[in-house]
Amino acid sequence: MVKSIDALARGILVLDELRDKSPMSLADLHHSTNISKATLLRILRTLQEAGWVYRSLGDSQYRLSYILQQVKEVQKPSMALAELSSPIIKDLQKDLQWPSDIAVRDNLTMRVIESSRPQSTFILNREHIGIKPEMLFSAVGRTYLAFCSKAEREEIIKGIKASGGKEGRLAHDTVWLEQLLQKTKAQGFGVREANYWGIGSTDGRRVEAIAVPIIHQEKVIASLTMAWPEGSVEASKISTLFLPRLQMATKQISDRLTS
């Protein structure tokens, strides 16, 4: 009688759990499978090296690679984008010190799908995956609006106007909105509203941020942002240092999506 391979069986069990319950933490997997954490770490490392499992920077939880996920087609681009951009924004933080987020459109808002904030000592709001920044106040939203197609922009603005609230009222100021979007596109990046979300840095300062578009196959698919405590970055560095490096990162992300 041919014997089964215990190590392989445990690996398949982990994959099954991630397929059904992803995302999961190490503790979740331990409770779900009764496999020791030390063994789980070895299994997960092996699966990561094989490209079957992905551990997010933003929440440190494990997921099946987008290649293996059995989900609706509309969800796959965001999953691929999060996974493939992860090492790029990790390198970006090493180069420029400050953390970054990747955000995609989610109806009338943006949605953060990956973030290097947990790797940073400078930003308090580290529980950032899934956060939905508003279009007209966030750097990622302003950038997306400025670089998306005219038809998509009109659809979004129409929806924001109908939704009411502070953002809905602001969307009716067509002169302000047109000037904002023209400036964003001309300079190549969007800027976060100064008072948006209040205090977010470890020393009590507000957070400043810029964002650039991620263009893939001639279409904006997301925004890449970088954030820092107010007053920590000289204005001249934004266009001379940060912008070129962020644009390089967006090209790397687009290239990885193509390959």
Side-chain angles (χ1 to χ4, degrees):
M1 179 178 178
V2 178
K3 292 184 178 180
S4 63
I5 302 173
D6 290 343
L8 178 58
R10 288 195 294 267
I12 293 171
L13 175 59
V14 169
L15 288 173
D16 284 342
E17 290 298 308
L18 288 173
R19 179 194 62 200
D20 296 337
K21 303 174 184 177
S22 179
M24 299 180 74
S25 66
L26 181 64
D28 293 335
L29 282 166
H30 170 63
H31 291 305
S32 182
T33 63
N34 290 318
I35 300 173
S36 73
K37 291 184 179 180
T39 300
L40 277 171
L41 285 172
R42 292 195 296 271
I43 292 171
L44 290 165
R45 173 60 64 87
T46 302
L47 293 172
Q48 285 178 277
E49 291 176 351
W52 289 9
V53 167
Y54 157 62
R55 189 185 187 194
S56 171
L57 284 177
D59 58 16
S60 297
Q61 297 202 67
Y62 295 92
R63 297 162 168 81
L64 287 188
S65 168
Y66 71 93
I67 297 171
L68 299 182
Q69 284 278 11
Q70 299 299 312
V71 295
K72 295 178 182 179
E73 287 296 321
V74 70
Q75 293 177 308
K76 287 185 179 178
S78 292
M79 294 169 59
L81 180 59
E83 184 173 340
L84 295 177
S85 66
S86 178
I88 295 172
I89 65 172
K90 186 176 182 179
D91 288 343
L92 187 61
Q93 180 168 322
K94 288 180 181 178
D95 290 348
L96 297 180
Q97 180 182 6
W98 308 111
S100 293
D101 304 325
I102 303 286
V104 297
R105 180 190 170 189
D106 188 344
N107 194 15
L108 301 179
T109 67
M110 300 294 287
R111 175 168 51 87
V112 175
I113 60 171
E114 181 57 296
S115 175
S116 64
R117 292 189 185 217
Q119 318 301 313
S120 173
T121 60
F122 302 100
I123 304 298
L124 276 178
N125 50 339
R126 294 178 183 146
E127 299 293 328
H128 214 60
I129 298 294
I131 290 292
K132 293 186 176 183
E134 293 174 291
M135 283 284 181
L136 299 187
F137 298 114
S138 66
V140 290
R142 290 173 172 182
T143 296
Y144 190 93
L145 274 177
F147 285 89
C148 69
S149 69
K150 180 180 179 182
E152 185 176 10
R153 181 165 52 252
E154 289 177 347
E155 173 201 342
I156 294 169
I157 293 172
K158 180 180 179 181
I160 293 174
K161 287 179 177 178
S163 68
K166 183 178 179 181
E167 192 181 31
R169 292 191 296 272
L170 191 59
H172 281 88
D173 188 342
T174 55
V175 174
W176 171 85
L177 184 55
E178 184 62 26
Q179 289 176 345
L180 172 70
L181 298 180
Q182 285 182 0
K183 180 179 180 180
T184 298
K185 194 159 189 178
Q187 65 191 8
F189 62 90
V191 178
R192 181 185 193 270
E193 181 67 26
N195 295 322
Y196 184 51
W197 282 2
I199 294 172
S201 66
T202 51
D203 58 3
R205 284 180 286 173
R206 294 186 176 92
V207 173
E208 296 179 339
I210 65 168
V212 295
I214 299 175
I215 307 291
H216 183 59
Q217 297 177 345
E218 301 183 356
K219 181 180 184 297
V220 60
I221 59 170
S223 297
L224 166 64
T225 186
M226 177 165 282
W228 58 86
E230 187 178 31
S232 298
V233 174
E234 296 176 10
S236 60
K237 284 188 175 181
I238 293 176
S239 57
T240 60
L241 178 61
F242 283 20
L243 180 59
R245 185 62 182 84
L246 286 166
Q247 289 173 332
M248 180 189 301
T250 64
K251 185 179 185 306
Q252 291 172 328
I253 292 169
S254 179
D255 288 346
R256 292 200 70 184
L257 287 169
T258 302
S259 61

